[in-house]
């Protein structure tokens, strides 16, 4: 590429100044794809999660779960294994129509061919579409105080701190009396046998607590092939998704 550029520009050295124009490539069999990275940091980096707890779910996967669960403006959403709050934050931003990545920067913003005025106008248009008058509220529970404090901080950075209530609560004490509610959660899981057995015990408890109720749904993600057996009943719908490179299944119960 440098040699090609030298044929056009009469210079021997190209200074590394200005915005970053990172070139990436992909080779699959006999096809090569060359791409210009307009993003910079990966798209799952929404800009609100500077820190996260153990085994965090990717922001984009959390958003996909909120989409599959049908989160809307008037929903009540609960995550009894909330960790650093990612699922609830993504659900809240979806309900309030807060555009993903609005508060982060992208590599292309530093490019000379991108008009700052156009970029500012598009951001303003996105903010104008937000609906902060909706009735959405979420509840996040966890047994780890540090994770709950981190979740509160992340929610504030995401602009939805007033829409999520975080409390210290064990899944064994789970109960709710909402007329309508959607549980969306990423239960703990382990790779070692002891951790796996503990996780499966939590799946069993969740199956007992997440009872069939009108206008209630449950959306859970797990890489464990025995999840349904531990939970106590087969899912009404199941979808394959990846958390990074880890193959998971999203199990949905709504009947």
């Amino acid at each position: 590429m440098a040699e090609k550029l030298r044929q056009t520009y009469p210079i021997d050295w190209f200074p590394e100044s200005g915005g970053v124009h990172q070139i990436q490539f992909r080779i699959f069999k006999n096809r090569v794809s060359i791409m210009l990275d307009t993003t910079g940091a990966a798209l799952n980096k929404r800009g609100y999660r500077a820190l996260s707890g153990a085994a965090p779910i990717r922001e984009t996967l959390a958003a996909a779960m909120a989409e599959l669960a049908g989160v809307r403006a008037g929903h009540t959403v609960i995550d009894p294994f909330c960790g650093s709050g990612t699922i609830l934050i993504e659900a809240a931003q979806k309900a309030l129509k807060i555009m993903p990545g609005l508060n982060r920067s992208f590599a292309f913003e530093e490019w000379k061919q991108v008009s700052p005025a156009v970029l500012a106008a598009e951001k303003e248009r996105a903010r104008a579409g937000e609906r902060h008058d909706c009735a959405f509220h979420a509840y996040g529970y966890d047994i780890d105080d540090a994770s709950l404090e981190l979740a509160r901080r992340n929610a504030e950075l995401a602009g939805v701190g007033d829409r999520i209530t975080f409390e210290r609560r064990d899944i064994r004490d789970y109960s709710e009396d909402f007329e309508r509610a959607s549980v969306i959660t990423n239960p703990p899981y382990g790779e070692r046998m002891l951790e796996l057995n503990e996780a499966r015990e939590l799946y069993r408890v969740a199956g007992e607590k997440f009872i069939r109720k009108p206008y209630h749904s449950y959306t859970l993600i797990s890489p464990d092939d025995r999840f349904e057996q531990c939970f106590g009943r087969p899912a009404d719908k199941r979808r394959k998704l990846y958390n990074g490179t880890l193959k998971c299944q999203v199990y949905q119960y709504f009947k």
Side-chain angles (χ1 to χ4, degrees):
M1 292 179 183
E3 291 300 324
K4 275 286 188 181
L5 288 169
R6 285 194 183 97
Q7 296 175 16
T8 302
Y9 302 97
I11 55 176
D12 293 326
W13 179 259
F14 295 94
E16 295 184 8
S17 59
V20 175
H21 294 66
Q22 182 168 316
I23 297 169
Q24 299 189 3
F25 67 91
R26 175 177 180 268
I27 301 175
F28 181 70
K29 294 184 178 180
N30 64 344
R31 181 180 294 272
V32 179
S33 301
I34 300 177
M35 298 159 282
L36 188 61
D37 185 358
T38 63
T39 303
L43 283 172
N44 66 286
K45 304 293 184 181
R46 307 290 213 192
Y48 61 78
R49 198 171 75 175
L51 297 171
S52 60
I57 189 171
R58 289 195 175 194
E59 295 94 316
T60 42
L61 180 54
M65 291 180 67
E67 179 69 28
L68 291 174
V71 170
R72 297 293 183 268
H75 264 199
T76 297
V77 173
I78 305 168
D79 184 353
F81 302 100
C82 71
S84 55
T86 305
I87 289 176
L88 298 178
I89 291 170
E90 291 295 331
Q93 290 194 328
K94 174 176 168 51
L96 274 63
K97 296 189 181 299
I98 298 175
M99 293 296 103
L102 189 59
N103 295 318
R104 60 158 282 177
S105 60
F106 297 88
F108 72 85
E109 295 181 37
E110 302 297 324
W111 296 358
K112 292 181 179 179
Q113 60 267 48
V114 175
S115 167
V118 171
L119 185 61
E122 287 303 308
K123 286 187 175 183
E124 184 57 35
R125 187 162 70 95
R127 291 190 177 96
E130 296 176 3
R131 51 178 308 177
H132 293 270
D133 58 343
C134 71
F136 175 90
H137 200 83
Y139 297 85
Y141 308 131
D142 206 282
I143 61 171
D144 183 67
D145 290 327
S147 293
L148 289 169
E149 185 57 35
L150 183 58
R152 292 186 187 98
R153 179 185 173 190
N154 288 341
E156 290 293 336
L157 290 173
V160 294
D162 61 334
R163 298 291 182 148
I164 309 176
T165 299
F166 293 103
E167 296 178 5
R168 192 177 192 276
R169 188 183 299 185
D170 193 291
I171 184 63
R172 295 170 181 84
D173 302 320
Y174 177 84
S175 65
E176 52 84 11
D177 56 2
F178 299 109
E179 182 180 350
R180 300 167 182 262
S182 296
V183 172
I184 311 173
T185 191
N186 174 31
Y189 58 85
E191 296 180 356
R192 292 177 294 184
M193 184 54 64
L194 177 61
E195 295 172 343
L196 182 59
N197 289 337
E198 291 173 346
R200 286 174 173 171
E201 173 61 15
L202 291 178
Y203 299 160
R204 185 193 65 78
V205 173
E208 292 179 351
K209 296 294 182 177
F210 299 166
I211 61 177
R212 292 185 176 94
K213 294 172 66 175
Y215 309 114
H216 282 65
S217 67
Y218 307 96
T219 300
L220 307 94
I221 187 169
S222 173
D224 192 343
D225 292 336
R226 290 181 56 192
F227 174 85
E228 290 168 300
Q229 179 181 344
C230 299
F231 191 78
R233 61 185 188 268
D236 298 315
K237 183 174 286 189
R238 193 170 65 174
R239 300 170 185 267
K240 183 191 299 183
L241 289 178
Y242 282 82
N243 188 10
T245 59
L246 182 64
K247 185 177 74 172
C248 298
Q249 295 278 354
V250 173
Y251 302 90
Q252 293 187 275
Y253 300 86
F254 46 80
K255 294 181 180 179

